[in-house]
Amino acid sequence: MLRTLAVATFAVACLIAGPGKAGINDAFGNTVVSHYPDGGWVKHWFNPDGSYSAHFSDGRRLSARWAIDGDRICLTNMRPNMLIPRFCTTMIDADIGETWQSRDPLGRRVRNVLVAGRN
């Protein structure tokens, strides 16, 4: 359950490696891929209608609703249900092909990349 929570909350964190301007529009129609050191990955898709989905390397899937709250992006209505009903984090701006390092909610390092298209 903790791994699921970490990945679910990291789904938003993939766009927030540090402070900056909101860049959610760059995610529409594209894929954010988060790579873990153990070889695992998570693909994240944000849609203009406020829906979000994720696909994990182990076959699990997650869905949620996203919304912007100031300079933060928040996930709610996460399915399957998570330990927390809402997760918010600050966004950054990323271009296609850009990679950045960040940590998931459990402190594990991940490498993220914004990939063109829905892969």
Side-chain angles (χ1 to χ4, degrees):
M1 179 66 131
L2 282 178
R3 180 177 168 99
T4 301
L5 172 63
V7 176
T9 55
F10 184 68
V12 174
C14 68
L15 289 176
I16 57 92
K21 63 182 181 178
I24 190 67
N25 291 337
D26 291 331
F28 298 151
N30 296 310
T31 305
V32 176
V33 182
S34 301
H35 298 274
Y36 282 84
D38 68 1
W41 50 260
V42 182
K43 293 181 179 182
H44 312 274
W45 299 286
F46 292 85
N47 301 305
D49 68 357
S51 62
Y52 163 87
S53 60
H55 179 221
F56 304 86
S57 56
D58 66 5
R60 289 176 296 132
R61 296 193 180 263
L62 176 86
S63 65
R65 300 292 302 168
W66 68 266
I68 294 176
D69 183 3
D71 66 347
R72 302 179 330 151
I73 185 167
C74 301
L75 285 183
T76 58
N77 297 50
M78 292 178 269
R79 300 286 184 257
N81 287 330
M82 299 293 119
L83 294 174
I84 56 174
R86 174 180 162 109
F87 177 78
C88 298
T89 190
T90 305
M91 292 188 296
I92 65 158
D93 200 7
D95 294 322
I96 299 294
E98 185 175 354
T99 63
W100 65 98
Q101 298 290 320
S102 63
R103 292 183 182 267
D104 74 6
L106 296 180
R108 297 175 297 183
R109 289 190 180 273
V110 294
R111 181 180 52 85
N112 308 293
V113 62
L114 182 59
V115 178
R118 293 291 175 117
N119 302 323

